[in-house]
PDB file of all heavy atoms in Angstrom:
ATOM      1  N   PHE A  66     150.879  21.566  67.202  1.00 47.00           N
ATOM      2  CA  PHE A  66     151.467  20.327  67.426  1.00 47.00           C
ATOM      3  C   PHE A  66     151.471  19.940  68.833  1.00 47.00           C
ATOM      4  O   PHE A  66     151.734  20.814  69.730  1.00 47.00           O
ATOM      5  CB  PHE A  66     152.897  20.368  66.903  1.00 47.00           C
ATOM      6  CG  PHE A  66     153.767  19.146  67.256  1.00 47.00           C
ATOM      7  CD1 PHE A  66     153.575  17.930  66.520  1.00 47.00           C
ATOM      8  CD2 PHE A  66     154.621  19.178  68.275  1.00 47.00           C
ATOM      9  CE1 PHE A  66     154.335  16.846  66.894  1.00 47.00           C
ATOM     10  CE2 PHE A  66     155.352  18.004  68.657  1.00 47.00           C
ATOM     11  CZ  PHE A  66     155.196  16.878  67.930  1.00 47.00           C
ATOM     12  N   ALA A  67     151.129  18.707  69.104  1.00 47.00           N
ATOM     13  CA  ALA A  67     151.258  18.147  70.504  1.00 47.00           C
ATOM     14  C   ALA A  67     152.075  16.886  70.429  1.00 47.00           C
ATOM     15  O   ALA A  67     151.789  16.048  69.676  1.00 47.00           O
ATOM     16  CB  ALA A  67     149.853  17.925  71.076  1.00 47.00           C
ATOM     17  N   PRO A  68     153.126  16.764  71.290  1.00 47.00           N
ATOM     18  CA  PRO A  68     153.921  15.557  71.270  1.00 47.00           C
ATOM     19  C   PRO A  68     153.104  14.368  71.656  1.00 47.00           C
ATOM     20  O   PRO A  68     152.153  14.462  72.417  1.00 47.00           O
ATOM     21  CB  PRO A  68     155.080  15.818  72.335  1.00 47.00           C
ATOM     22  CG  PRO A  68     154.425  16.871  73.149  1.00 47.00           C
ATOM     23  CD  PRO A  68     153.493  17.707  72.317  1.00 47.00           C
ATOM     24  N   SER A  69     153.514  13.193  71.127  1.00 48.00           N
ATOM     25  CA  SER A  69     152.778  11.944  71.482  1.00 48.00           C
ATOM     26  C   SER A  69     153.071  11.554  72.914  1.00 48.00           C
ATOM     27  O   SER A  69     153.974  12.069  73.530  1.00 48.00           O
ATOM     28  CB  SER A  69     153.296  10.831  70.515  1.00 48.00           C
ATOM     29  OG  SER A  69     154.642  10.555  70.721  1.00 48.00           O
ATOM     30  N   ASP A  70     152.284  10.648  73.398  1.00 47.00           N
ATOM     31  CA  ASP A  70     152.467  10.176  74.744  1.00 47.00           C
ATOM     32  C   ASP A  70     153.889   9.543  74.931  1.00 47.00           C
ATOM     33  O   ASP A  70     154.431   9.499  76.025  1.00 47.00           O
ATOM     34  CB  ASP A  70     151.376   9.130  75.103  1.00 47.00           C
ATOM     35  CG  ASP A  70     150.058   9.820  75.261  1.00 47.00           C
ATOM     36  OD1 ASP A  70     150.012  11.071  75.399  1.00 47.00           O
ATOM     37  OD2 ASP A  70     149.027   9.124  75.249  1.00 47.00           O
ATOM     38  N   GLU A  71     154.415   8.923  73.822  1.00 45.00           N
ATOM     39  CA  GLU A  71     155.734   8.293  73.889  1.00 45.00           C
ATOM     40  C   GLU A  71     156.831   9.355  74.018  1.00 45.00           C
ATOM     41  O   GLU A  71     157.835   9.065  74.658  1.00 45.00           O
ATOM     42  CB  GLU A  71     155.969   7.467  72.706  1.00 45.00           C
ATOM     43  CG  GLU A  71     155.178   6.162  72.600  1.00 45.00           C
ATOM     44  CD  GLU A  71     153.699   6.461  72.150  1.00 45.00           C
ATOM     45  OE1 GLU A  71     153.437   7.573  71.706  1.00 45.00           O
ATOM     46  OE2 GLU A  71     152.854   5.528  72.284  1.00 45.00           O
ATOM     47  N   ALA A  72     156.649  10.511  73.460  1.00 44.00           N
ATOM     48  CA  ALA A  72     157.650  11.557  73.495  1.00 44.00           C
ATOM     49  C   ALA A  72     157.524  12.426  74.744  1.00 44.00           C
ATOM     50  O   ALA A  72     158.515  13.035  75.074  1.00 44.00           O
ATOM     51  CB  ALA A  72     157.494  12.425  72.217  1.00 44.00           C
ATOM     52  N   HIS A  73     156.369  12.405  75.291  1.00 45.00           N
ATOM     53  CA  HIS A  73     156.198  13.319  76.517  1.00 45.00           C
ATOM     54  C   HIS A  73     155.217  12.703  77.471  1.00 45.00           C
ATOM     55  O   HIS A  73     154.149  12.302  77.103  1.00 45.00           O
ATOM     56  CB  HIS A  73     155.656  14.714  76.037  1.00 45.00           C
ATOM     57  CG  HIS A  73     155.352  15.613  77.181  1.00 45.00           C
ATOM     58  ND1 HIS A  73     156.320  16.202  77.976  1.00 45.00           N
ATOM     59  CD2 HIS A  73     154.136  16.104  77.682  1.00 45.00           C
ATOM     60  CE1 HIS A  73     155.717  16.953  78.854  1.00 45.00           C
ATOM     61  NE2 HIS A  73     154.427  16.874  78.686  1.00 45.00           N
ATOM     62  N   ASP A  74     155.631  12.613  78.697  1.00 49.00           N
ATOM     63  CA  ASP A  74     154.757  11.986  79.706  1.00 49.00           C
ATOM     64  C   ASP A  74     153.791  13.077  80.198  1.00 49.00           C
ATOM     65  O   ASP A  74     154.203  14.064  80.812  1.00 49.00           O
ATOM     66  CB  ASP A  74     155.668  11.528  80.935  1.00 49.00           C
ATOM     67  CG  ASP A  74     154.815  10.883  81.991  1.00 49.00           C
ATOM     68  OD1 ASP A  74     153.632  10.734  81.793  1.00 49.00           O
ATOM     69  OD2 ASP A  74     155.376  10.491  83.029  1.00 49.00           O
ATOM     70  N   PRO A  75     152.516  12.929  79.879  1.00 49.00           N
ATOM     71  CA  PRO A  75     151.554  13.949  80.297  1.00 49.00           C
ATOM     72  C   PRO A  75     151.379  14.084  81.820  1.00 49.00           C
ATOM     73  O   PRO A  75     150.919  15.055  82.233  1.00 49.00           O
ATOM     74  CB  PRO A  75     150.240  13.430  79.655  1.00 49.00           C
ATOM     75  CG  PRO A  75     150.413  11.988  79.418  1.00 49.00           C
ATOM     76  CD  PRO A  75     151.915  11.804  79.134  1.00 49.00           C
ATOM     77  N   ALA A  76     151.832  13.068  82.503  1.00 53.00           N
ATOM     78  CA  ALA A  76     151.721  13.102  83.932  1.00 53.00           C
ATOM     79  C   ALA A  76     152.808  13.928  84.576  1.00 53.00           C
ATOM     80  O   ALA A  76     152.670  14.374  85.738  1.00 53.00           O
ATOM     81  CB  ALA A  76     151.642  11.708  84.573  1.00 53.00           C
ATOM     82  N   GLN A  83     162.928  13.736  82.617  1.00 63.00           N
ATOM     83  CA  GLN A  83     162.311  12.460  82.460  1.00 63.00           C
ATOM     84  C   GLN A  83     163.255  11.350  83.009  1.00 63.00           C
ATOM     85  O   GLN A  83     164.496  11.446  82.743  1.00 63.00           O
ATOM     86  CB  GLN A  83     161.999  12.092  80.992  1.00 63.00           C
ATOM     87  CG  GLN A  83     161.004  13.177  80.392  1.00 63.00           C
ATOM     88  CD  GLN A  83     159.695  13.182  81.049  1.00 63.00           C
ATOM     89  OE1 GLN A  83     159.126  12.101  81.356  1.00 63.00           O
ATOM     90  NE2 GLN A  83     159.190  14.316  81.468  1.00 63.00           N
TER      91      GLN A  83
END
Side-chain angles (χ1 to χ4, degrees):
F66 170 78
S69 65
D70 290 342
E71 289 77 13
H73 174 71
D74 182 2
Q83 301 298 312

